[in-house]
Amino acid sequence: MAAIDTQRVLDVHHWTDRLFSFRTTRDPGFRFENGQFVMIGLPVDGRPLLRAYSMASANHEDTLEFFSIKVPDGPLTSRLAQIQEGDQILVGHKPTGTLVQDSLLPGKRLYLISTGTGVAPFVSIIKDPEVYDRFEAVVLVHGCRFVEDLAYGEQIVDNVLKDEILAEIIGDKLHYYPTVTREPYERKGRVTDLLRSGAVSGSFGLPPLDPDADRVMICGGPAMLADMVEMMKDMGFSEGSASRPGHYVIEKAFVER
Ligand code: A2P
């Protein structure tokens, strides 16, 4: 079997000048864990040009979904931003990644902390019924520069809560905390500051972050990841992996396109 498949683009949605999402067909044999990523791309000059993308669809869905930034001179995203319904894209066979449930110790609450396109793996995770079995509360935090950058996440949360089956499973367990840094908005500030100050947990009536009860998944840019890791360590959280589950896991949002 070839290491890369071809899938058909089903639809494309441009959210802003810099952000778009698209759905493709899914090979029934393509299995993944919610939160994982895979290499996807396009043939360029006869060779596959691939980058890592988190699945933004859940593993129980028939189609695949991806959320991407557009970098004007990015070798892949400048081309990927042109794709249209019916086009073919390349999808690798080996999903992988650290944002998976088994890398976390059991806990009461799951915090999903993201900036920018780092929300993509959490879109998959908030659609996972099992997550609501494991945790009493799931808190999705999404920090962006501008209000319009929040649109994709907002729409997904809306859809998830409108889905009859998921809504029943989720009940009142899912808490959504969108925030922006560069223009006025009801929730303002960097995700790091809002977590540290207790603004996030407090707004849902939850206790301050505590390694005994809280588990954290983090996905964003390199500076945000570095600051989050420092904060986690200060608070007594330990990093988890598949071989040794812990209190938090991180993955960089894939933005070098
Ligand atoms: P800011 O506007 O203050 O830089 P980007 O598009 O650059 O990835 O940023 C997405 C969001 O992540 C922005 O709101 C940005 O805030 C924020 N951000 C950037 N660096 C950090 C950091 N070190 N800690 C927390 N948030 C960060």
Side-chain angles (χ1 to χ4, degrees):
M1 189 161 56
I4 306 174
D5 258 344
T6 302
Q7 298 298 334
R8 186 164 41 85
V9 175
L10 297 170
D11 47 55
V12 185
H13 190 116
H14 293 269
W15 297 92
T16 71
D17 290 348
R18 294 178 62 238
L19 296 168
F20 68 111
S21 64
F22 55 97
R23 285 190 319 134
T24 74
T25 50
R26 173 182 175 183
D27 184 313
F30 180 71
R31 312 254 157 197
F32 62 95
E33 284 184 57
N34 295 317
Q36 286 188 314
F37 67 85
V38 73
M39 303 303 289
I40 70 166
L42 294 168
V44 174
D45 300 330
R47 300 181 56 186
L49 178 63
L50 304 171
R51 295 286 186 269
Y53 273 85
S54 297
M55 264 69 74
S57 42
N59 58 11
H60 62 259
E61 295 180 284
D62 295 336
T63 55
L64 296 176
E65 183 165 319
F66 302 97
F67 181 45
S68 182
I69 196 155
K70 304 177 201 176
V71 180
D73 51 1
L76 180 62
T77 59
S78 62
R79 294 176 167 93
L80 206 53
Q82 314 292 325
I83 55 168
Q84 295 191 352
E85 183 188 337
D87 289 351
Q88 307 278 329
I89 72 154
L90 304 172
V91 179
H93 277 179
K94 283 205 179 137
T96 182
T98 51
L99 302 177
V100 293
Q101 298 300 315
D102 287 348
S103 295
L104 292 175
L105 293 163
K108 277 194 183 173
R109 297 171 289 267
L110 176 64
Y111 281 81
L112 306 169
I113 312 299
S114 61
T115 54
T117 55
V119 74
F122 302 146
V123 165
S124 162
I125 288 171
I126 63 167
K127 294 181 187 173
D128 185 342
E130 239 186 68
V131 166
Y132 302 94
D133 268 351
R134 287 186 186 227
F135 294 97
E136 287 172 13
V138 176
V139 181
L140 173 63
V141 180
H142 188 201
C144 290
R145 294 182 187 188
F146 304 108
V147 176
E148 64 173 14
D149 303 335
L150 297 170
Y152 176 67
E154 270 169 3
Q155 170 93 74
I156 293 286
V157 171
D158 210 44
N159 289 350
V160 162
L161 295 174
K162 275 192 195 136
D163 180 289
E164 251 176 58
I165 297 171
L166 274 176
E168 170 122 9
I169 292 166
I170 294 171
D172 56 3
K173 288 185 171 182
L174 178 62
H175 304 294
Y176 174 49
Y177 195 101
T179 173
V180 302
T181 45
R182 301 200 187 183
E183 64 181 346
Y185 186 60
E186 55 201 284
R187 284 168 170 164
K188 238 195 130 198
R190 285 188 160 192
V191 295
T192 37
D193 298 331
L194 295 163
L195 281 167
R196 195 182 288 110
S197 72
V200 174
S201 48
S203 77
F204 303 117
L206 299 172
L209 276 180
D210 168 6
D212 284 342
D214 294 315
R215 301 294 166 257
V216 186
M217 292 182 148
I218 308 161
C219 189
M224 175 272 209
L225 287 186
D227 289 352
M228 276 298 305
V229 167
E230 200 182 314
M231 186 168 96
M232 290 281 91
K233 287 182 178 158
D234 284 351
M235 291 180 170
F237 284 71
S238 70
E239 183 169 358
S241 66
S243 55
R244 220 177 65 164
H247 304 125
Y248 75 93
V249 284
I250 63 167
E251 193 121 78
K252 77 173 176 189
F254 306 103
V255 290
E256 308 88 27
R257 308 302 193 175

